[in-house]
Amino acid sequence: MLRKVFYISDGTAITAEVFGHAVLSQFPVEFDALTIPFVETEAKAHDVKLQINDCFITTGERPLVFHSIVKAEIRDIIYSSEGLDYDFLNTFVAPLELQLGMKASPVVHRTHGKANEGYEARIDAINYTMDNDDGQTLKNIDKADLVLLGVSRCGKTPSSLYLSMQFGIKAANYPFVEDDMDNLKLPTALKENKSKLFGLTIDPVRLHEIRKSRMDNSRYSSLRQCRIEVKEVEMMYKRERIPFVNTTNHSVEEIATKILDVTGLERHMF
Amino acid sequence: MLRKVFYISDGTAITAEVFGHAVLSQFPVEFDALTIPFVETEAKAHDVKLQINDCFITTGERPLVFHSIVKAEIRDIIYSSEGLDYDFLNTFVAPLELQLGMKASPVVHRTHGKANEGYEARIDAINYTMDNDDGQTLKNIDKADLVLLGVSRCGKTPSSLYLSMQFGIKAANYPFVEDDMDNLKLPTALKENKSKLFGLTIDPVRLHEIRKSRMDNSRYSSLRQCRIEVKEVEMMYKRERIPFVNTTNHSVEEIATKILDVTGLERHMF
């Protein structure tokens, strides 16, 4: 039976999840995880405590409890359960108080709340990215922080959206399609924004698989066509000196952070 | 001068950022943060060490260093800098090794890597959400995990995208517009998927501000129209017994996790 894990918070529990997941992913086993957000009242905390204790009774193993609970009275109830507490917030807050020479002044919902500076700019970035996805229009391209280029289904849209959602980057994206291939060149509007361009490429065999699952038995999805498009586009990146990454074996997180690392664009935090 | 903070990783550094940000947001001051991802070689680690040491010399204060470095030889170089180390991974890995009765087997890029189970399902969810944004089509609505409803500019699109990106939820969204208001009712395709519906609402004054910034001096952005639309839509939610949340004072993280909490939809981790 998989070891039971609880991610608990008086906020969204996103931080507790991300943290617990990062720590547990260092171990070569799977876990059975349950996330409980918005534990904001003592009554709810007592319910959660019961749930943890029941789990201990049923499984005979103390559940792992990762939490990021800001309110002390809620935290104490969870501490009093049979779970094994991994309280990353408070483990680090005490030494930081000493270092910084000030007391922490915890506020629930500060980490992922809307009061976060720049929140509106982030929503603007998401909207910009939606409106400028897949080369729908190039007329607002001068407002972009970044323009991702690439053939259809190489990862432009998820990468652009991740960049806007996670980092507040206005990321447009522009596709090169079959008809472009005979004489592949950059549209004038893109040439004029060359410092913002970043290319994506992909292994043609992987591209072929992805396209087949959307449109089988088509020229679009044929391995031959995939090879032609990838080759032409990579040649253009080199000719035009556009930096590019291969997305084949990388997640959107890795693609997005690699692009920011290469371009030097600032990572905003939300 | 703001205290300098480094977020360092041999991977994307997203976990180090999220963790450091969560801890530092407990303090009532601002920090000057720099993220350095992909510190994968000893040469790069030595560069980063120099940067940390320079920062100490320049500012006279030891920089705070949050890191999630998996490779021991890289980590040791960062440890030997003048920075104050907050190593959340290893702080918790050792006690977990005891508890779990096994050694950690750290692998770089496991946390945010593509090998992550369900990665393709997540990309499918993002594509589904893009294709079913803003009521573009209702013909794939039976494939949705969730359908967000609401008036224009109440937060449907960013919330849907966050749900797909962060949690792998296929979230469609459907707008109610001015012309619907005289006789507001659910389209048949939505009625047939009633268990998937979730409503968003918003304070009319806030809606008026958001719409004004897009289209000033229009009926669409007038406070009167905003009030009518919000009132009609909220009445329909109640009439049809559709659960709903008010987005006015909440971030996409809070809206998304609240929806999952109410609906009981599973939170996938990536």
Side-chain angles (χ1 to χ4, degrees):
Chain A
M1 197 160 52
L2 302 181
R3 187 69 172 254
K4 194 86 188 174
V5 177
F6 288 85
Y7 300 127
I8 300 173
S9 174
D10 40 7
T12 65
I14 291 170
T15 310
E17 274 181 349
V18 170
F19 165 70
H21 181 66
V23 172
L24 294 178
S25 69
Q26 304 303 310
F27 290 90
V29 286
E30 284 185 62
F31 297 89
D32 178 14
L34 178 68
T35 303
I36 310 179
F38 305 115
V39 182
E40 293 171 283
T41 63
E42 295 187 24
K44 188 151 182 199
H46 282 294
D47 282 350
V48 173
K49 177 182 167 176
L50 273 180
Q51 218 174 325
I52 295 169
N53 290 352
D54 279 351
C55 178
F56 173 50
I57 293 165
T58 316
T59 65
E61 286 189 313
R62 297 177 70 184
L64 311 180
V65 180
F66 292 87
H67 58 81
S68 60
I69 300 172
V70 168
K71 280 190 219 152
E73 60 274 26
I74 304 287
R75 197 164 60 224
D76 289 343
I77 296 167
I78 303 300
Y79 271 138
S80 71
S81 78
E82 296 292 344
L84 292 159
D85 289 284
Y86 300 96
D87 178 353
F88 71 98
L89 220 42
N90 289 288
T91 301
F92 290 93
V93 163
L96 272 163
E97 285 182 330
L98 277 178
Q99 263 309 321
L100 298 171
M102 67 177 81
K103 279 285 180 195
S105 57
V107 176
V108 185
H109 300 307
R110 191 184 282 158
T111 310
H112 287 292
K114 197 171 177 180
N116 204 312
E117 209 183 320
Y119 185 81
E120 294 307 322
R122 176 197 194 189
I123 297 296
D124 287 347
I126 296 168
N127 286 327
Y128 179 88
T129 295
M130 286 295 287
D131 294 343
N132 295 276
D133 179 52
D134 209 29
Q136 288 172 54
T137 169
L138 287 174
K139 75 171 196 283
N140 299 314
I141 213 77
D142 55 309
K143 297 195 182 70
D145 296 317
L146 181 76
V147 186
L148 297 187
L149 309 176
V151 303
S152 168
R153 296 288 136 186
C154 71
K156 296 183 302 301
T157 295
S159 303
S160 306
L161 285 171
Y162 190 82
L163 282 159
S164 62
M165 184 71 78
Q166 182 78 9
F167 299 116
I169 304 279
K170 287 184 177 169
N173 71 76
Y174 184 85
F176 295 112
V177 297
E178 199 178 318
D179 292 347
D180 299 330
M181 293 302 150
D182 286 341
N183 180 22
L184 194 60
K185 55 185 183 189
L186 288 174
T188 311
L190 293 184
K191 264 198 187 291
E192 287 168 356
N193 288 273
K194 203 150 167 197
S195 63
K196 296 176 182 175
L197 304 184
F198 202 100
L200 301 185
T201 190
I202 185 170
D203 171 43
V205 175
R206 176 71 191 127
L207 182 63
H208 166 59
E209 283 165 12
I210 296 170
R211 287 186 176 182
K212 261 203 313 190
S213 72
R214 280 182 78 92
M215 220 183 287
D216 205 0
N217 294 317
S218 62
R219 177 160 156 167
Y220 168 80
S221 67
S222 72
L223 183 55
R224 183 173 180 279
Q225 182 63 25
C226 291
R227 282 194 207 284
I228 292 171
E229 292 185 20
V230 167
K231 190 178 153 214
E232 289 296 329
V233 166
E234 287 188 6
M235 276 167 52
M236 193 200 59
Y237 294 156
K238 288 172 189 161
R239 200 164 61 232
E240 299 279 357
R241 297 174 193 275
I242 296 167
F244 66 99
V245 293
N246 188 315
T247 64
T248 313
N249 296 309
H250 296 295
S251 66
V252 287
E253 280 83 355
E254 291 170 337
I255 299 164
T257 51
K258 182 60 82 177
I259 292 168
L260 297 185
D261 196 35
V262 172
T263 58
L265 277 167
E266 200 186 337
R267 295 163 72 132
H268 301 280
M269 283 293 300
F270 299 99
Chain B
M1 199 159 55
L2 302 181
R3 186 69 172 253
K4 194 86 188 174
V5 177
F6 288 85
Y7 301 127
I8 301 173
S9 174
D10 41 7
T12 65
I14 291 170
T15 310
E17 274 181 347
V18 170
F19 164 70
H21 181 66
V23 172
L24 294 179
S25 69
Q26 304 303 310
F27 290 89
V29 287
E30 283 185 62
F31 297 89
D32 178 13
L34 179 68
T35 302
I36 309 179
F38 304 114
V39 182
E40 295 172 282
T41 63
E42 295 187 24
K44 187 150 182 199
H46 282 293
D47 282 351
V48 172
K49 177 182 167 176
L50 274 180
Q51 217 173 326
I52 294 169
N53 291 351
D54 279 352
C55 179
F56 173 49
I57 293 165
T58 316
T59 65
E61 286 189 313
R62 298 177 70 186
L64 311 180
V65 181
F66 292 87
H67 58 81
S68 59
I69 300 172
V70 168
K71 281 190 218 153
E73 59 273 28
I74 305 288
R75 198 165 57 224
D76 289 344
I77 296 166
I78 303 300
Y79 271 139
S80 71
S81 78
E82 297 291 344
L84 293 159
D85 289 285
Y86 300 95
D87 178 352
F88 72 97
L89 264 189
N90 289 288
T91 301
F92 290 93
V93 163
L96 272 163
E97 285 182 330
L98 278 178
Q99 263 309 320
L100 298 171
M102 68 177 78
K103 279 284 180 196
S105 57
V107 177
V108 185
H109 300 308
R110 192 184 280 158
T111 310
H112 287 291
K114 198 171 174 176
N116 203 313
E117 209 183 318
Y119 185 81
E120 295 306 323
R122 176 198 196 188
I123 297 297
D124 288 347
I126 296 169
N127 286 327
Y128 179 88
T129 295
M130 286 296 286
D131 295 341
N132 294 275
D133 179 51
D134 209 28
Q136 288 172 56
T137 169
L138 287 175
K139 74 171 195 283
N140 299 313
I141 213 78
D142 54 310
K143 297 195 182 69
D145 297 316
L146 180 75
V147 186
L148 297 187
L149 310 176
V151 301
S152 167
R153 295 289 138 184
C154 71
K156 297 183 301 299
T157 294
S159 303
S160 306
L161 286 170
Y162 191 83
L163 282 159
S164 62
M165 183 72 77
Q166 181 78 9
F167 299 116
I169 304 279
K170 288 185 176 168
N173 71 76
Y174 185 86
F176 295 111
V177 297
E178 198 178 319
D179 291 346
D180 299 330
M181 294 301 150
D182 287 340
N183 180 21
L184 195 61
K185 54 186 183 190
L186 288 174
T188 310
L190 293 184
K191 264 198 186 290
E192 287 167 356
N193 287 275
K194 202 149 169 196
S195 64
K196 297 176 181 175
L197 305 184
F198 202 99
L200 301 185
T201 190
I202 185 170
D203 170 42
V205 175
R206 177 71 191 126
L207 182 62
H208 166 59
E209 284 165 11
I210 296 170
R211 290 187 174 181
K212 262 204 311 191
S213 73
R214 281 181 77 93
M215 218 184 286
D216 204 1
N217 293 319
S218 63
R219 176 158 156 167
Y220 168 79
S221 67
S222 70
L223 182 55
R224 183 172 179 279
Q225 182 63 25
C226 291
R227 282 194 205 282
I228 291 171
E229 292 186 19
V230 168
K231 189 179 153 210
E232 288 296 329
V233 166
E234 287 189 5
M235 275 167 51
M236 193 200 58
Y237 294 156
K238 288 173 190 161
R239 198 165 61 231
E240 299 279 357
R241 295 174 193 276
I242 297 167
F244 65 99
V245 292
N246 189 316
T247 65
T248 313
N249 296 309
H250 296 296
S251 67
V252 287
E253 280 83 355
E254 291 170 336
I255 298 164
T257 50
K258 181 60 82 177
I259 291 169
L260 296 185
D261 196 36
V262 172
T263 59
L265 277 168
E266 201 186 336
R267 295 163 71 133
H268 302 280
M269 281 294 298
F270 300 99

